[in-house]
Amino acid sequence: MSILKPCIQLLWMTITVLAFGCNNEDRNDQTGVDWPVYGGNNFGNRYSPLNQINTENVQYLNVAWEYQTGENKSGERPFEIQCQPIIVDGVLYGTTPQLKVFALNAATGKEIWVFDPFKTSEPQYHANRGLSFWEGKGAKRILFTAGSFLYAIDAYTGLPVTEFGEAGKVDLHKGLEENLSHDISNLFVIATSPGIIYKNTIVMGSRVSEFGDAAPGHIRAYDVLSGKIKWIFHTIPQPGEFGYDTWPKDAYKKIGGANCWSGMVLDSKRGVVYLGTGSPSVDFYGGDRHGANLFANCILALDAETGRRIWHFQTIHHDLWDRDLSNPPNLVRVKHQGKLIDAVAQATKDGVIYVLDRDSGKPLFPVEERPVPTNGAMPGEQPWPTQPYPVKPKPFSRQFFTKEDFNDMTMEGYQFVKKRFEETRLGNKFIPPNSAGSIIFHIGGGAEWGGTAADTEGILYVNANDMPWDLKMMDLATGMAQQKEEKVSRGKALYLANCAVCHGVDLKGSGNKSYPSLLNISERANKKDIFDIMNTGKGMMPSFRHINVSKQAAIVSFLLKDNIAAQSEDLHQQSNLTNKQADEKSVFPYVAPYVNNGQVQFRTPDGYPAVKPPWGTLSAIDLNSGEFLWQVPLGEYPELKRKGVAPTGTENHGGPIVTAGGLLFIGAAQDELFRAFDKKSGKILWEFKLPAGGFATPATYEVNGKQYVVIAAGGTKYGKKPGGSYMAFALPD
């Protein structure tokens, strides 16, 4: 690791000032030589005008350099890399699996500097998908998040900017406590996606808990120079604010979430930030948040200077299905009814696309508000009676499970799926969750956090999942609906409230290795191992440091079947759960009386999704007409390929980029291949087996007249082998 010498730093600063008299917005509005923003440019287009690598020569692409972070080595606890790097003035900035920030020579991959945010503090690991870049008056800053802090780093030296916040960082809890009576300082608040910068303001979202201890997901803007909060937009409205009447009285005091965790985009000429929000807490049960619940599940347009709401469009009313807006909007220009329109395109977890006028938020294609089922909901629940259905474009992933969807690759699998189908509730994607269970799509996409790409012709490219999920609700106090009188230990009660949503009431996990089984965990981990993971996080699991040590100990004891925590008590008495009590008194943390069975994917006995392929897709959609141009499978299973099975697609995470060279680049699939597609036909033109899965979005840039394409190969997702490198590709000289 090295630091640039002062004379080199001064020279670099001088060149920057002379060559780039433009402001931060001018640079970040465009891609080309640089890739200066998460998503490529402020619009989030993931598009580059570079065409040196094109459909005619992409087959000659080979490795230009590989940067090893030195992490995820054998014997270490692995963490994913989900970061799309940014490239400015020939320097590439990215993050390691353990959230160190680095700067590289973008032409050679040679390390310039590394900054470790946890060098003097206890680590809190989580996914990081990118960084923010700011420059002004000869200064350059990298802003990024690690744990519960927003950091400002000098881009030349990799050292903290001491005048920003406290010694170069700002606590992301600040500002969320406004008008609350409870302490939020230890709640889980991080940011997996970078903020968007307008002038000297960085606008930030956050990731928060999805349980009853969720912090509010308010949008906040900070001064890039000082770190001071400039404005706050309450996504759960407070008294006197627009939308307050879409919640029960004082809901903001105990309900959290409604957060923007997937990232934002900016129209710098309008001075408007566009973003999407997620569901309110708690997922799958809303008995204590009756109403439409603005501004959860909304596409929002906010004034970047003040935070004033310009418009909103709600995509799910009173969300009971965890259908967050899981990727940033894409700002596009389309030809609509003979006119060129500045628009916002938002892909969703439930596989639809909203195309809205950028100034008014009104849909360019019809969106119908249709009646949906409300019967059969859990006690205390009041499902919203209608939901929006975009008429065009048509959905890019399956909407609900039918007989025609049965996986029939084997007779055993077919009969297994048929039996479960016949004993569950089906027929509409908005069936309220209940204890009888339902098979639904979209808990994990449709579209996911990798985002969409759009070219200058108004064509949107989106990768998606077609994975069914087996959702069932049960009484939290017992963990099993059929055991109404069971007394449960404190450890089990805490496990059900905090862990079962991912690992299942029965500890069996989801069938997807992102949410592993905890059965017999004592054979694989000891107390220290489990405590460490609860405090630092791992993979999809966030840190649970916000749970106090005694509660952590009770959960660990329950998992290890430790008799120390075998004292039983009735969970209803412990938590004051009833809706009546919750209505009479604001209780935080809020504890819902019902919990889902975990993130359980519906799979056949041999481990494949319970529906026919494709299980993962890549689509091209013309936003001018609303029509599909093509859709192809994304990824395949090697063992099925050897049997002669046509490409099935796989579950995929990480997004695409598109170029003027006629190419679309994407990793994302479970088969660990990095691919280039012909953007006009969807035909694969090139593929490369990465050393570990590329579950991140690539980037492309130019240095000294040479175009590069780079992607992080971090692996670990889906139980795949870990990796710790970034790989850049270029044409041979």
Side-chain angles (χ1 to χ4, degrees):
M1 164 171 36
S2 62
I3 302 295
L4 287 175
K5 293 180 180 179
C7 59
I8 298 176
Q9 177 185 338
L10 179 60
L11 176 62
W12 190 359
M13 291 173 67
T14 304
I15 291 171
T16 300
V17 173
L18 292 175
F20 299 100
C22 58
N23 60 32
N24 204 67
E25 287 71 50
D26 290 334
R27 179 197 286 273
N28 293 354
D29 281 345
Q30 303 175 35
T31 49
V33 172
D34 290 344
W35 189 272
V37 184
Y38 177 65
N41 57 17
N42 280 332
F43 285 5
N45 295 150
R46 293 166 183 77
Y47 170 80
S48 172
L50 298 179
N51 61 8
Q52 183 181 99
I53 303 170
N54 54 56
T55 57
E56 299 297 320
N57 59 24
V58 68
Q59 69 267 29
Y60 303 115
L61 210 59
N62 55 31
V63 177
W65 56 258
E66 181 175 6
Y67 172 69
Q68 295 285 352
T69 65
E71 298 173 5
N72 280 353
K73 294 179 180 178
S74 177
E76 292 184 340
R77 178 149 52 96
F79 300 91
E80 295 175 19
I81 310 177
Q82 295 183 0
C83 179
Q84 180 191 57
I86 58 175
I87 300 92
V88 182
D89 298 338
V91 180
L92 182 148
Y93 305 92
T95 57
T96 74
Q98 296 180 14
L99 299 183
K100 298 182 182 72
V101 178
F102 60 80
L104 309 178
N105 181 316
T108 65
K110 184 178 179 181
E111 184 179 291
I112 299 171
W113 55 254
V114 175
F115 170 75
D116 183 358
F118 301 127
K119 190 173 183 179
T120 59
S121 63
E122 187 177 0
Q124 186 179 352
Y125 300 124
H126 53 81
N128 174 276
R129 292 169 188 144
L131 310 155
S132 302
F133 171 84
W134 172 88
E135 64 177 321
K137 295 183 180 179
K140 293 183 180 182
R141 294 184 181 181
I142 300 296
L143 293 101
F144 81 105
T145 55
S148 295
F149 292 93
L150 170 65
Y151 289 81
I153 305 299
D154 187 301
Y156 297 108
T157 66
L159 299 175
V161 178
T162 54
E163 62 267 28
F164 181 86
E166 297 180 8
K169 63 182 182 180
V170 171
D171 190 339
L172 292 174
H173 293 91
K174 299 294 184 184
L176 296 181
E177 74 279 5
E178 190 176 40
N179 297 324
L180 299 181
S181 58
H182 56 272
D183 180 20
I184 59 97
S185 61
N186 290 317
L187 298 183
F188 175 67
V189 181
I190 63 170
T192 50
S193 299
I196 195 80
I197 294 179
Y198 176 67
K199 297 182 180 178
N200 289 339
T201 299
I202 181 168
V203 186
M204 293 293 302
S206 61
R207 182 185 173 190
V208 299
S209 168
E210 299 185 20
F211 308 110
D213 59 353
H218 305 326
I219 311 302
R220 285 163 293 167
Y222 301 85
D223 187 294
V224 170
L225 299 174
S226 69
K228 292 181 179 179
I229 293 178
K230 299 181 75 170
W231 55 258
I232 300 174
F233 177 82
H234 297 131
T235 58
I236 302 176
Q238 299 190 5
E241 295 178 338
F242 184 92
Y244 180 73
D245 59 351
T246 67
W247 300 79
K249 181 182 178 182
D250 292 341
Y252 71 96
K253 294 183 178 180
K254 56 187 173 183
I255 300 297
N259 53 309
C260 173
W261 57 264
S262 61
M264 307 173 182
V265 293
L266 169 72
D267 185 325
S268 61
K269 290 183 173 59
R270 287 173 168 83
V272 178
V273 171
Y274 300 86
L275 58 99
T277 58
S279 58
S281 61
V282 297
D283 286 347
F284 308 111
Y285 183 75
D288 205 40
R289 52 174 172 85
H290 299 157
N293 301 154
L294 293 179
F295 295 97
N297 306 90
C298 280
I299 306 166
L300 278 166
L302 304 179
D303 185 298
E305 289 277 21
T306 66
R308 176 181 62 87
R309 179 185 64 90
I310 297 171
W311 56 258
H312 74 276
F313 186 96
Q314 191 170 42
T315 60
I316 302 285
H317 313 308
H318 190 79
D319 187 4
L320 300 176
W321 307 272
D322 188 25
R323 289 182 181 149
D324 302 344
L325 287 171
S326 56
N327 55 91
N330 202 315
L331 302 186
V332 295
R333 202 168 202 210
V334 299
K335 192 171 185 178
H336 182 74
Q337 296 179 349
K339 297 180 180 179
L340 284 175
I341 303 291
D342 288 345
V344 181
Q346 177 72 65
T348 71
K349 279 175 79 172
D350 55 335
V352 299
I353 296 171
Y354 293 90
V355 187
L356 311 177
D357 183 282
R358 207 180 300 174
D359 290 317
S360 67
K362 293 181 178 178
L364 300 187
F365 299 110
V367 176
E368 297 177 354
E369 196 75 19
R370 300 176 187 170
V372 296
T374 58
N375 59 312
M378 297 301 289
E381 183 60 83
Q382 292 182 16
W384 198 256
T386 63
Q387 294 290 350
Y389 283 79
V391 175
K392 229 179 183 184
K394 70 179 183 181
F396 56 83
S397 66
R398 276 174 272 214
Q399 297 295 284
F400 54 89
F401 199 62
T402 70
K403 292 180 180 179
E404 288 70 32
D405 289 317
F406 292 2
N407 184 325
D408 57 3
M409 298 178 74
T410 67
M411 182 55 66
E412 178 189 14
Y414 180 86
Q415 292 298 330
F416 176 84
V417 175
K418 181 174 181 290
K419 181 178 184 298
R420 181 72 185 96
F421 179 90
E422 291 172 346
E423 62 190 21
T424 194
R425 300 153 62 241
L426 297 152
N428 191 291
K429 69 177 181 179
F430 292 111
I431 291 176
N434 75 4
S435 56
S438 54
I439 298 170
I440 64 173
F441 293 96
H442 314 133
I443 290 178
E448 258 296 347
W449 54 262
T452 58
D455 63 21
T456 56
E457 299 167 359
I459 312 302
L460 190 79
Y461 304 88
V462 57
N463 56 303
N465 295 317
D466 254 332
M467 310 295 293
W469 301 75
D470 197 341
L471 175 64
K472 183 178 289 188
M473 302 296 290
M474 50 194 67
D475 191 308
L476 175 60
T478 64
M480 294 291 182
Q482 66 269 30
Q483 297 176 344
K484 295 287 185 181
E485 303 303 321
E486 180 189 0
K487 304 290 185 180
V488 296
S489 72
R490 180 171 184 256
K492 182 174 182 180
L494 291 164
Y495 172 86
L496 292 173
N498 294 282
C499 314
V501 67
C502 292
H503 297 286
V505 172
D506 55 8
L507 281 74
K508 291 182 179 179
S510 65
N512 177 335
K513 292 184 180 179
S514 294
Y515 306 102
S517 168
L518 299 180
L519 291 172
N520 303 315
I521 193 174
S522 61
E523 299 174 5
R524 308 185 299 279
N526 57 33
K527 282 186 178 181
K528 182 180 183 304
D529 295 332
I530 300 173
F531 270 116
D532 285 347
I533 292 173
M534 290 183 73
N535 279 281
T536 64
K538 177 184 178 182
M540 292 294 291
M541 178 177 165
S543 165
F544 276 75
R545 192 179 299 168
H546 58 286
I547 296 177
N548 67 41
V549 173
S550 67
K551 290 181 178 180
Q552 289 185 21
I555 294 172
V556 172
S557 296
F558 165 68
L559 292 174
L560 297 177
K561 300 180 181 179
D562 192 329
N563 289 330
I564 294 175
Q567 301 173 359
S568 294
E569 57 182 307
D570 182 59
L571 184 57
H572 278 299
Q573 293 179 1
Q574 173 195 338
S575 304
N576 294 323
L577 292 179
T578 66
N579 289 323
K580 180 179 179 182
Q581 289 170 313
D583 287 339
E584 290 174 353
K585 182 180 179 181
S586 294
V587 179
F588 189 89
Y590 166 70
V591 184
Y594 305 102
V595 65
N596 70 303
N597 57 332
Q599 301 282 8
V600 180
Q601 289 188 344
F602 184 26
R603 293 179 175 263
T604 61
D606 52 0
Y608 298 109
V611 295
K612 290 179 181 177
W615 300 318
T617 60
L618 182 63
S619 301
I621 303 164
D622 187 340
L623 297 183
N624 302 286
S625 64
E627 300 295 338
F628 275 63
L629 299 181
W630 50 261
Q631 184 177 82
V632 297
L634 176 59
E636 55 188 335
Y637 288 88
E639 69 275 14
L640 296 180
K641 182 179 181 180
R642 288 191 291 269
K643 295 178 180 179
V645 177
T648 59
T650 73
E651 186 174 359
N652 54 90
H653 289 270
I657 63 171
V658 64
T659 75
L663 298 170
L664 183 147
F665 289 96
I666 188 169
Q670 291 187 41
D671 57 19
E672 302 176 337
L673 291 175
F674 186 33
R675 294 179 168 92
F677 290 81
D678 186 320
K679 75 171 190 174
K680 290 185 177 179
S681 66
K683 179 182 178 182
I684 297 174
L685 300 179
W686 172 85
E687 56 187 22
F688 180 90
K689 179 75 171 181
L690 294 168
F695 308 129
T697 303
T700 188
Y701 59 94
E702 184 181 288
V703 180
N704 298 326
K706 190 168 188 173
Q707 183 182 357
Y708 298 81
V709 181
V710 64
I711 189 170
T716 78
K717 202 171 184 66
Y718 319 111
K720 297 294 183 180
K721 64 182 179 292
S725 69
Y726 285 72
M727 298 193 74
F729 301 84
L731 296 172
D733 294 329

